[in-house]
Amino acid sequence: MRHTGFLTYQNELIPKEKLAEMISPKKDQKSAIRDFKVALNALNNVLEPKREARATPYFINKKGSRYGLNPEATYEVDINQFEKLIKKGTA
């Protein structure tokens, strides 16, 4: 994804329309949602290259038309580590 939607909203489920607008802000909603689905599929394939077709992704949750990072998944986000180090350095 060009924007950091899932990272910016780590603890939230984001409507696909909002994610689509982040990815393709100059396109009409139908085209933007198509682009989002393509990007999401590519992201899931990168995160889980051995996941079987049509199997539920582990890292990206979907509830209705909202998407977000799985809070039970283990992942490291550089910005979170960076902010911890800043706080540690200023303490």
Side-chain angles (χ1 to χ4, degrees):
M1 285 186 190
R2 182 173 57 163
H3 293 276
T4 58
F6 289 131
L7 297 178
T8 303
Y9 302 98
Q10 289 179 43
N11 300 314
E12 298 177 38
L13 292 174
I14 311 156
K16 72 179 173 190
E17 295 81 9
K18 183 173 184 173
L19 290 164
E21 186 177 338
M22 289 175 168
I23 292 171
S24 301
K26 295 182 180 180
K27 292 190 177 179
D28 64 90
Q29 189 176 53
K30 184 177 178 180
S31 297
I33 288 173
R34 182 199 63 230
D35 289 353
F36 163 69
K37 289 179 180 179
V38 169
L40 178 63
N41 185 55
L43 176 62
N44 281 323
N45 287 334
V46 168
L47 293 173
E48 300 178 78
K50 296 181 181 183
R51 184 174 55 91
E52 294 189 26
R54 305 202 195 298
T56 301
Y58 177 73
F59 291 100
I60 307 297
N61 284 346
K62 177 182 181 208
K63 292 191 179 175
S65 64
R66 300 169 83 78
Y67 297 80
L69 294 174
N70 179 351
E72 296 178 14
T74 300
Y75 56 91
E76 186 173 327
V77 180
D78 290 338
I79 189 68
N80 291 346
Q81 183 67 15
F82 181 71
E83 288 175 350
K84 285 179 188 175
L85 291 171
I86 288 173
K87 288 178 184 175
K88 185 177 178 182
T90 58

